[in-house]
Amino acid sequence: MSSISKIINDPVYGYITINDPLIFDVFSHPYVQRLRRIHQMAFAELVYPGAVHSRLHHALGAYHLMGIALADLRNKGIEISRDEEQGAKLAILLHDIGHGPYSHALESILVENVSHEDLSIAIINNLNDQFNQKLSLALDIFTGKYHKHFLYQLISGQLDVDRMDYLSRDSFFTGVSEGVIGYDRILKMLTVKDGKLMAESKAIYSIEKFLVARRLMYWQVYLHKTVLSAERMLVSIMQRARELHALGVAISARSEPLDFFIKSRETNTIVGDKLELFCEMDDYDVMSAIKKWVNEKDIVLSTLCRMLVERRLLKVQFSPEKPTDFTIETLKQRVSGKLGISVEEARYLVFSGQAVNTTYNPMDERINILFKDGAVKDISQVDNALIHQTLASPVKKFYICFMALP
């Protein structure tokens, strides 16, 4: 095991230090280094050119915030052993290890019906075997099995360091100031009562700002119509490639891992060689295939690929009501006639969907506020609460995505 420590200059937080030999060795593993080649925000760079940061940037940022959170909790008398600190830091460093190419855009597409969380667990289990079971505590914390539940809440909860970093980092790289949050104050105000993570009452306004910032970032960045169009086009490309293969058309991505996941219909379980292939795959495999398929004979596939490469995207129109079947069929027929494809094939170029954004869901894990008198209230129930029942309700927008024709 290496005894080298690592100091990394991060544009968001400054210097990030990895001074634990095991954590450094895990960080150096090819499975983790693969995250350098996966965009954190998929196609957001088509709208915000600076949004080219990677999943590894985010993993390091979340790791850094975890270290701050644990140190602050320790200073308040919360018992956290060195092993627990190491386990929590490893768990957050690896929390996104199961993301495939273009992150959420292709989740459950290349690896059907398997979430990135399940893939993360499979990969952490694999790493645990490689590191002689030294990641067992990290795995228990990551899966919520460890008895100190607040450690899990720091990784996956309404106030987790994962969200704090991606909001801070994504707003930094996009230049969208609405996403700026007071993560440092929130971390200072975290505490533990009855084994559960909560925040002191002095943090109420910072947390409300955090929740509102998340809501604004979703509509302004993550669900921006251009980003939505590009990501849905990417899904259509992969689905069309898979359909062509099923029809007996010889199609190749020139990437063994990507070829496997396009052509295999048995990806519900990822173990052994399948897991290794998944961990070899990144954004470069997908974009290389798309550039190659620009010249495919299939009109649907080549058209989608050329449009994505040249940033001539499908148009997106949001509406409060679901688009009618008549509207969709009319657009499909126009595309069919223009490109000389069947109306059935036109479904790749004309389709509808729904975008959903929830500010705060009190039915999910709650954000509890601890008051000086020992009382605990959900943040939506404090006096003059900004985050009340209205903001707790999900906002839904229907959209139609279609190829614009002259």
Side-chain angles (χ1 to χ4, degrees), residues 168-271:
S168 300
R169 190 166 302 275
D170 294 352
S171 63
F172 177 90
F173 281 97
T174 58
V176 177
S177 59
E178 286 81 0
V180 175
I181 61 169
Y183 68 86
D184 46 355
R185 179 168 176 79
I186 295 174
L187 291 174
K188 289 289 183 186
M189 296 297 112
L190 292 180
T191 188
V192 174
K193 182 179 180 182
D194 299 328
K196 295 180 180 179
L197 188 71
M198 52 191 67
E200 297 172 10
S201 58
K202 291 180 288 186
I204 288 175
Y205 301 124
S206 296
I207 294 172
E208 288 180 333
K209 171 66 165 61
F210 163 75
L211 293 170
V212 172
R214 186 165 172 260
R215 181 191 188 96
L216 295 175
M217 283 291 285
Y218 265 86
W219 289 128
Q220 195 163 338
V221 179
Y222 308 129
L223 295 175
H224 188 287
K225 63 181 182 180
T226 301
V227 178
L228 182 64
S229 174
E231 293 183 357
R232 286 302 308 267
M233 288 174 70
L234 178 62
V235 171
S236 289
I237 287 169
M238 291 302 150
Q239 290 175 335
R240 181 60 174 174
R242 181 168 280 163
E243 181 181 45
L244 290 173
H245 171 72
L247 292 172
V249 177
I251 184 168
S252 171
R254 289 182 179 166
S255 161
E256 182 185 352
L258 185 56
D259 271 336
F260 172 81
F261 286 102
I262 287 174
K263 297 174 181 179
S264 175
R265 307 304 296 178
E266 300 177 2
T267 59
N268 287 342
T269 55
I270 301 296
V271 293

Side-chain angles (χ1 to χ4, degrees), residues 103-169:
S103 300
H104 293 289
L106 288 180
E107 185 168 352
S108 297
I109 301 297
L110 290 177
V111 184
E112 293 183 312
N113 303 316
V114 182
S115 69
H116 77 270
E117 290 91 353
D118 289 337
L119 284 164
S120 291
I121 292 171
I123 295 172
I124 296 172
N125 268 306
N126 182 285
L127 287 170
N128 194 28
D129 290 338
Q130 293 187 43
F131 283 91
N132 300 315
Q133 309 305 308
K134 293 179 180 178
L135 276 63
S136 296
L137 179 55
L139 186 60
D140 285 345
I141 293 172
F142 181 81
T143 54
K145 295 178 181 177
Y146 193 61
H147 67 278
K148 291 187 179 179
H149 189 65
F150 69 89
L151 295 174
Y152 170 76
Q153 289 176 293
L154 284 170
I155 296 166
S156 181
Q158 295 274 14
L159 274 183
D160 60 42
V161 295
D162 172 24
R163 296 183 188 188
M164 288 187 209
D165 179 77
Y166 78 62
L167 283 175
S168 300
R169 190 166 302 275

Side-chain angles (χ1 to χ4, degrees), residues 317 319 321-328 351-353 398-400:
Q317 288 182 352
S319 66
E321 298 179 355
K322 184 178 180 180
T324 65
D325 292 341
F326 176 78
T327 299
I328 294 172
F351 47 84
S352 62
F398 294 99
Y399 65 85
I400 184 168

